[in-house]
């Protein structure tokens, strides 16, 4: 199956700074890449996603970039706030109807 | 939006007993359900895919006889952890491929503790 790697595993930033999380995937057939935010003991929440026919997508302070040739995609959070503190997971899937393979997660801490 | 109801949210059981976790799609038909397991501070690991009316597909390394999956109807999928041991203690979460404004529809998760 798909293998998704995610870096860094932990990330601390000052409030207002930017945070970048990177993921790589192994299956070139994957074409859907969501990012999830998960708070302790709760279900993952979709924050942004991107499909393989798009190189970049932005939603307010959050953006995702995709390089299909290199098989990597990144999450960018600007103007970070303490409430952004959580664990973030990237995932890859063949399409929106298929199972996700999740990255290993990044614990983000935004220091006030 | 689409909702998957997962029960129980927390369960504590003794070693050797079995525990059943249910996931119900409340306002849509879930022909497929994905089951994930998450150990503390780790990622969500896909365990198996259940399909209504057919046998589940298990990921490599997941014991099908230990984690019994049944998808008897279009709205209900169950995961039974048989002969549970402390190492089975984990957060189990289901997900149905139904698109909503919140993306993929996840259940609320079940925290299993085996003592």
């Amino acid at each position: 199956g798909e293998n998704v790697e995610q870096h860094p595993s932990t990330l601390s930033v000052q409030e207002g700074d930017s945070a970048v999380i990177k993921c790589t995937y192994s299956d070139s057939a994957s074409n859907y890449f969501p990012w999830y935010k998960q708070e302790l003991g709760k279900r993952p929440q979709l924050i942004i996603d991107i499909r393989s026919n798009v190189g970049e997508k932005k939603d307010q302070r959050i953006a995702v970039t995709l390089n299909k040739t290199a098989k990597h995609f990144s999450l960018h959070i600007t103007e970070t706030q303490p409430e952004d503190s959580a664990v973030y997971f990237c995932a890859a899937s063949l399409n929106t109807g298929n199972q996700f393979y999740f990255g290993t997660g990044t614990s983000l801490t935004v220091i006030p | 939006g689409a909702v998957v109801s997962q029960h129980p949210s927390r369960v504590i059981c003794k070693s050797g007993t079995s525990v059943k976790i249910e996931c119900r799609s409340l306002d849509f038909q879930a022909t497929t359900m994905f089951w994930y397991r998450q150990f503390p501070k780790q990622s969500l690991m896909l365990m198996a895919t259940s399909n209504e009316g057919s046998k589940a597909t298990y990921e490599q390394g997941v014991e099908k006889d230990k984690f019994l999956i049944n998808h008897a109807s279009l709205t209900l999928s169950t995961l039974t952890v048989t002969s549970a041991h402390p190492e089975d203690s984990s957060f189990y979460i289901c997900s149905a491929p139904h698109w909503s404004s919140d993306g993929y529809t996840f259940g609320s998760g079940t925290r299993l503790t085996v003592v």
Side-chain angles (χ1 to χ4, degrees):
Chain A
E2 172 69 276
N3 181 42
V4 180
E5 295 188 354
Q6 183 172 346
H7 300 279
S9 57
T10 59
L11 179 61
S12 291
V13 299
Q14 289 292 136
E15 182 177 359
D17 288 350
S18 296
V20 180
I21 303 170
K22 299 181 179 181
C23 287
T24 61
Y25 61 99
S26 61
D27 190 343
S28 57
S30 291
N31 58 18
Y32 176 65
F33 308 93
W35 284 88
Y36 282 84
K37 176 182 181 182
Q38 187 183 30
E39 297 179 0
L40 189 63
K42 296 187 177 180
R43 77 187 82 191
Q45 291 183 306
L46 178 72
I47 54 172
I48 197 167
D49 57 10
I50 192 167
R51 300 178 194 276
S52 60
N53 59 346
V54 176
E56 184 174 356
K57 183 177 179 181
K58 188 174 182 180
D59 183 5
Q60 300 182 337
R61 297 187 296 110
I62 296 172
V64 57
T65 58
L66 170 65
N67 183 327
K68 265 195 75 74
T69 302
K71 290 189 282 188
H72 66 71
F73 55 113
S74 300
L75 176 71
H76 303 252
I77 306 175
T78 59
E79 301 173 32
T80 54
Q81 302 167 1
E83 50 265 38
D84 294 330
S85 298
V87 179
Y88 291 82
F89 292 98
C90 61
S93 174
L94 286 178
N95 60 52
T96 54
N98 281 47
Q99 61 268 47
F100 292 165
Y101 291 93
F102 285 88
T104 46
T106 297
S107 177
L108 173 65
T109 302
V110 179
I111 303 167
Chain B
V3 176
V4 172
S5 176
Q6 183 171 348
H7 294 280
S9 57
R10 290 179 180 272
V11 58
I12 301 173
C13 71
K14 293 184 178 180
S15 286
T17 61
S18 295
V19 173
K20 179 184 284 189
I21 301 170
E22 293 188 348
C23 279
R24 293 180 183 273
S25 56
L26 298 186
D27 49 3
F28 68 101
Q29 294 182 334
T31 56
T32 299
M33 191 74 74
F34 303 123
W35 288 92
Y36 295 88
R37 177 170 58 183
Q38 186 177 32
F39 292 110
K41 297 186 178 182
Q42 294 189 24
S43 186
L44 293 94
M45 299 300 296
L46 179 67
M47 297 175 66
T49 302
S50 74
N51 297 288
E52 187 269 336
S54 64
K55 289 184 178 180
T57 303
Y58 289 81
E59 295 295 302
Q60 192 172 8
V62 177
E63 300 175 60
K64 62 178 69 175
D65 293 331
K66 181 168 184 63
F67 298 100
L68 300 180
I69 289 175
N70 184 276
H71 198 142
S73 77
L74 288 171
T75 59
L76 175 64
S77 177
T78 62
L79 167 67
T80 301
V81 183
T82 63
S83 186
H85 292 286
E87 56 264 31
D88 298 324
S89 299
S90 186
F91 186 65
Y92 294 86
I93 191 165
C94 60
S95 176
H98 183 283
W99 201 250
S100 70
S101 59
D102 295 327
Y104 231 56
T105 303
F106 282 89
S108 52
T110 297
R111 172 72 60 192
L112 170 63
T113 302
V114 185
V115 297

